[in-house]
Amino acid sequence: MRLDRLAPTDVEALLVVLRDKGLAESSIRNVFAVLSQALDVAVRDRLLARNPASAVKRPRVAASEAVHLDVTQVGSLLDAANGMRYVDALRLIAATGLRRGEALGLSWGDVEVKPLEVV
């Protein structure tokens, strides 16, 4: 589709297609954000008179409560991961409550791994 023919209804139709394909709401929101930014650049470069995505309501992501594993589930996870490449990272996460990205941002030289004691 040519940029000058892109309408807000086309953007909305894209969002519907993404929902129908089963994409998570957060992914749909990210697609919308990237598209909107790209269209802003097109407006800046005078390829478009206006951004059609600006007339579309930004997709909302419903807040949800994080799901946490209980002690038994953590033990089962660590038992299943025993001998795998990332078992030490899982132990660190279980023992400290770090998020995955925080744990992966560490260098192994920064971490002293000790056996996990389940209370």
Side-chain angles (χ1 to χ4, degrees):
M1 174 178 289
R2 289 177 42 142
L3 274 179
D4 60 347
R5 293 189 180 157
L6 190 63
T9 53
D10 298 314
V11 175
E12 290 169 341
L14 170 65
L15 300 178
V16 169
V17 167
L18 296 176
R19 280 189 188 96
D20 289 346
K21 288 188 177 211
L23 259 66
E25 289 299 317
S26 58
S27 296
I28 294 170
R29 185 175 182 170
N30 289 340
V31 168
F32 177 81
V34 170
L35 175 63
S36 183
Q37 289 173 355
L39 293 172
D40 280 340
V41 171
V43 170
R44 181 198 69 198
D45 292 346
R46 295 190 174 120
L47 299 172
L48 284 174
R50 61 177 177 73
N51 180 346
S54 64
V56 176
K57 193 172 185 178
R58 186 173 82 166
R60 303 188 109 210
V61 177
S64 61
E65 193 68 30
V67 178
H68 302 281
L69 302 179
D70 63 30
V71 174
T72 306
Q73 292 170 320
V74 170
S76 296
L77 174 67
L78 293 176
D79 287 342
N82 200 19
M84 292 184 171
R85 181 178 180 187
Y86 295 109
V87 68
D88 290 334
L90 289 173
R91 286 186 184 129
L92 176 67
I93 290 169
T96 62
L98 288 174
R99 292 176 286 200
R100 179 181 54 202
E102 294 169 331
L104 295 176
L106 295 173
S107 297
W108 284 113
D110 300 331
V111 180
E112 181 181 343
V113 180
K114 296 181 180 181
L116 178 66
E117 293 183 26
V118 179
V119 180

